[in-house]
């Protein structure tokens, strides 16, 4: 069904709003997917905080003007499905990568993050980015490491004295 001018403006405004606050973008070729598969993909996208949209490439090209995703304007060809990560940068990559395992018709076409466009093969790199919770736990472990080492260093002389005393006691008992 063709869109009239007002509907096109509404789609462009909606996409521009999402693109301005998104962390990353994955565009994937979806030709050959069934309606049931697309419905399942949309359901998983909602659960993982990913904005998923099938739109005309010309409308998406207009919507990404002035955003970090302007770099993909010239690469938008063919029927594409657009996944914008709204909560963490790797969410769209994980969604597309995981869903493509079960649906071989879904092929990542391009990836954009930080104002740079990459080929679809970089979806694995994007999918491997840690979630916010994982990143915080890694940061916390880095912060705790020096304190742990200091405690070990300070307790070592007392441990050595205890081992020497025990060895001396065992030697006298023998």
């Amino acid at each position: 069904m063709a869109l009239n001018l007002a509907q096109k403006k509404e789609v462009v405004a909606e996409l521009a709003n999402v693109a301005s606050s998104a962390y990353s973008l994955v565009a994937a070729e979806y030709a050959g997917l069934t309606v049931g598969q697309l419905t399942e993909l949309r359901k998983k996208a909602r659960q993982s905080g990913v904005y998923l949209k099938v739109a005309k490439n010309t409308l998406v090209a207009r919507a990404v003007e002035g955003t970090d995703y302007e770099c993909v304007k010239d690469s938008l060809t063919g029927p594409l499905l657009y996944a914008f990560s709204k909560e963490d940068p790797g969410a769209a990559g994980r969604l597309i990568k995981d869903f493509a395992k079960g649906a071989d018709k879904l092929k990542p076409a391009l990836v954009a993050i930080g104002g740079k466009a990459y080929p679809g093969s970089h979806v694995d790199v994007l999918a491997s980015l840690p979630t916010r919770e994982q990143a915080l736990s890694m940061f916390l472990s880095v912060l705790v490491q020096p304190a742990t080492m200091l405690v070990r260093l300070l307790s070592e002389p007392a441990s050595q004295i205890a081992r020497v005393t025990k060895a001396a006691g065992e030697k006298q008992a023998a």
Side-chain angles (χ1 to χ4, degrees):
M1 183 169 106
L3 300 174
N4 63 31
L5 184 60
Q7 291 170 324
K8 288 179 182 178
K9 286 182 180 180
E10 185 178 316
V11 169
V12 168
E14 178 184 350
L15 285 170
N17 184 32
V18 171
S20 66
S21 63
Y23 293 111
S24 65
L25 163 69
V26 177
E29 297 174 4
Y30 67 96
L33 291 180
T34 65
V35 172
Q37 288 174 319
L38 281 173
T39 303
E40 182 65 25
L41 181 60
R42 286 186 172 106
K43 180 181 175 186
K44 288 182 180 181
R46 278 191 300 274
Q47 292 170 349
S48 59
V50 175
Y51 176 83
L52 202 62
K53 184 78 169 177
V54 175
K56 286 186 158 201
N57 296 333
T58 53
L59 298 179
V60 174
R62 286 179 189 254
V64 297
E65 285 178 3
T67 67
D68 286 346
Y69 308 108
E70 194 166 4
C71 57
V72 301
K73 279 176 41 174
D74 299 329
S75 306
L76 305 178
T77 56
L80 295 175
L81 171 110
Y82 299 95
F84 289 93
S85 294
K86 297 188 301 183
E87 294 177 5
D88 73 273
R94 282 189 292 278
L95 174 73
I96 298 297
K97 181 182 175 187
D98 292 344
F99 199 81
K101 288 177 186 174
D104 58 341
K105 301 286 184 184
L106 184 67
K107 296 180 182 88
L110 63 97
V111 174
I113 186 167
K116 294 185 180 170
Y118 302 98
S121 59
H122 278 66
V123 76
D124 295 330
V125 175
L126 183 64
S128 68
L129 290 176
T131 63
R132 185 176 193 279
E133 289 78 24
Q134 291 169 335
L136 287 174
S137 69
M138 288 190 292
F139 179 65
L140 184 61
S141 68
V142 168
L143 287 178
V144 169
Q145 188 66 25
T148 304
M149 295 303 290
L150 178 64
V151 168
R152 284 185 188 159
L153 181 68
L154 293 176
S155 67
E156 188 59 30
S159 299
Q160 286 178 344
I161 290 173
R163 284 192 296 267
V164 168
T165 306
K166 181 181 176 188
E170 288 175 356
K171 185 177 180 182
Q172 284 183 354

